[in-house]
Amino acid sequence: MASLSFNSLPLPPSQPRKQSDSSSLNGGLKPIVVRGNPPTFVSAPGRRIVAVGDLHGDLAKARCALEMAGVLSSDGQDLWTGGEAVLIQVGDILDRGEEEIAILSLLRSLSIQARTKGGAVFQVNGNHETMNVEGDFRYVDAGAFEECIDFMEYLNDRDGSWDDAFMSWVSVSKRWKVDRKASQSQWSPWKLVERQKGAIARSSLLRPGGQLACELARHAVALKVDDWIFCHGGLLPHHVAYGIERMNREVSSWMRGFSENHDFPEIPFIATRGYDSVVWNRLYSRDPADTDYWSRQICSILDDTLEAVGAKAMVVGHTPQLEGVNCKYNHRIWRIDVGMSSGVLNSRPEVLEITDNKARVIRNEKDFFTAMDVLDYT
């Protein structure tokens, strides 16, 4: 199991990163240390942690949430303003919106900027990421197919330089979108051809081994940061027994198209398929009908899971919470999907802030210190 300081430019996901850290430039905090490839266990001593829920292709709402979290500049320059903070996005960037690649580009840019300041950005893959790598495009917005066409053309214009094209896409995607709409034909058969072209472009990018799938392979399905577990659906005791680093490694290998004994990489079912998989599980995010009995059962399962993984609380997305970010089961589960995307509920963004094991909800800039009573986990 590799151990590394988190202050280098990202390498391909098949290579471990190990670099010296500059997070103590001012003689302050100790370095962030990451174990696992993709990142699975993170030590981030003294850091402010902010967690953002499902974004579903809505770049405007994503920017609003990141600005609210205090990690993105509000001047349109997409600059990291979080200092030594740790940002975690819990999956479902894909589907239901039309600016998915732009959001992924923004987060990668912020990740690189954050490392120079002693901070970090982590992403967790959700069920919509794994669905797209499987070729399940049921929830893809028409504009997202068009974004794939535009991005493939932009990539070709950059002579196929992935890092160059991917990193700069967020800054040019709006212009490409405007130019496309200005030149778009209204002839229906031509639109059908464009839709087919978009599906081909998306398949090329997101099939196992595709360039965008390899980008997603950098990220875990379960991430432990200090005393907190972050995942999209929810971790269960049998996931921990199987090994969360093992799950992360297997999902990453599948996304990169790696296979040991098969012509096609095997889908890691325990993490990506079924109602009780890590990315699909809704046990903690839906309130049971028989509140008293089932709440006790769910609380017991959650306690067993947290004890097995050595965590104090879990943060999940996946299921939109109509009342906003909230906690449940003795404050041991935080549910942070608020359906902010215009393709979901179009609700106002909210983020979770964790400082010194104290959690609070940030609902807007004015509420920064008053949105919710602080909950202390120490």
Side-chain angles (χ1 to χ4, degrees), residues 121-176:
V121 176
F122 296 99
Q123 293 169 239
V124 173
N125 285 319
N127 62 302
H128 284 269
E129 281 72 46
T130 62
M131 287 168 66
N132 274 267
V133 176
E134 289 183 53
D136 185 343
F137 297 160
R138 282 177 294 167
Y139 300 99
V140 180
D141 187 270
F145 283 117
E146 294 169 351
E147 186 191 30
C148 288
I149 298 172
D150 290 348
F151 179 73
M152 290 288 279
E153 292 178 1
Y154 181 67
L155 180 62
N156 289 334
D157 287 351
R158 311 293 279 197
D159 298 321
S161 173
W162 174 261
D163 281 342
D164 183 21
F166 186 68
M167 289 286 297
S168 58
W169 179 246
V170 67
S171 63
V172 302
S173 60
K174 183 176 180 180
R175 174 173 56 81
W176 276 74

Side-chain angles (χ1 to χ4, degrees), residues 26 42 68 86 89 192 239:
N26 298 319
V42 178
M68 183 183 301
V86 173
Q89 197 282 324
L192 178 60
H239 300 142

Side-chain angles (χ1 to χ4, degrees), residues 46-331:
R47 262 67 175 191
R48 172 178 174 260
I49 300 171
V50 285
V52 176
D54 306 35
L55 298 174
H56 281 302
D58 192 327
L59 180 60
K61 289 291 184 71
R63 283 195 170 113
C64 182
L66 296 174
E67 289 176 23
M68 183 183 301
V71 298
L72 179 70
S73 62
S74 57
D75 58 4
Q77 299 300 307
D78 291 336
L79 300 177
W80 173 260
T81 58
E84 295 178 300
V86 173
L87 166 67
I88 301 162
Q89 197 282 324
V90 297
D92 277 11
I93 290 171
L94 301 186
D95 289 341
R96 305 188 188 279
E98 59 182 19
E99 296 164 306
E100 310 157 308
I101 304 175
I103 296 174
L104 291 168
S105 171
L106 173 61
L107 289 174
R108 173 96 102 87
S109 173
L110 291 176
S111 177
I112 292 174
Q113 294 179 57
R115 293 175 193 180
T116 68
K117 305 296 185 181
V121 176
F122 296 99
Q123 293 169 239
V124 173
N125 285 319
N127 62 302
H128 284 269
E129 281 72 46
T130 62
M131 287 168 66
N132 274 267
V133 176
E134 289 183 53
D136 185 343
F137 297 160
R138 282 177 294 167
Y139 300 99
V140 180
D141 187 270
F145 283 117
E146 294 169 351
E147 186 191 30
C148 288
I149 298 172
D150 290 348
F151 179 73
M152 290 288 279
E153 292 178 1
Y154 181 67
L155 180 62
N156 289 334
D157 287 351
R158 311 293 279 197
D159 298 321
S161 173
W162 174 261
D163 281 342
D164 183 21
F166 186 68
M167 289 286 297
S168 58
W169 179 246
V170 67
S171 63
V172 302
S173 60
K174 183 176 180 180
R175 174 173 56 81
W176 276 74
K177 182 178 177 180
V178 170
D179 290 347
R180 172 180 24 87
K181 289 189 180 298
S183 62
Q184 213 166 37
S185 171
Q186 297 300 313
W187 187 43
S188 293
W190 178 247
K191 286 186 176 182
L192 178 60
V193 171
E194 284 293 291
R195 180 63 178 261
Q196 292 173 334
K197 184 179 177 182
I200 293 170
R202 192 175 188 88
S203 297
S204 175
L205 288 168
L206 281 163
R207 62 175 174 78
Q211 288 168 301
L212 195 52
C214 288
E215 191 67 34
L216 296 176
R218 295 172 178 268
H219 313 305
V221 293
L223 177 72
K224 183 172 185 280
V225 181
D226 295 334
D227 294 327
W228 293 71
I229 280 283
F230 299 85
C231 54
H232 182 67
L235 209 62
L236 297 169
H238 73 276
H239 300 142
V240 182
Y242 187 83
I244 62 174
E245 186 172 11
R246 177 185 175 188
M247 279 195 306
N248 287 340
R249 191 169 57 246
E250 289 176 353
V251 174
S252 180
S253 294
W254 164 62
M255 287 182 165
R256 287 183 283 133
F258 287 0
S259 177
E260 294 182 0
N261 300 310
H262 301 83
D263 293 333
F264 299 98
E266 281 192 278
I267 297 172
F269 276 72
I270 192 170
T272 66
R273 286 285 189 92
Y275 71 93
D276 63 347
S277 64
V278 179
V279 301
W280 281 100
N281 178 26
R282 298 186 194 270
L283 183 67
Y284 308 129
S285 52
R286 280 181 173 166
D287 294 328
D290 185 349
T291 304
D292 188 41
Y293 173 78
W294 283 110
S295 289
R296 290 198 306 271
Q297 300 304 309
I298 295 170
C299 192
S300 177
I301 293 170
L302 176 60
D303 288 345
D304 289 346
T305 305
L306 294 175
E307 181 179 359
V309 78
K312 294 183 177 181
M314 188 185 305
V315 179
V316 299
H318 190 37
T319 305
Q321 303 295 306
L322 298 180
E323 70 269 42
V325 173
N326 63 86
C327 58
K328 187 80 173 176
Y329 307 118
N330 300 322
H331 311 308

Side-chain angles (χ1 to χ4, degrees), residues 8-19 37 115 218:
S8 61
L9 293 179
L11 298 173
S14 59
Q15 302 177 25
R17 294 161 293 174
K18 190 170 186 178
Q19 295 283 336
N37 186 27
R115 293 175 193 180
R218 295 172 178 268

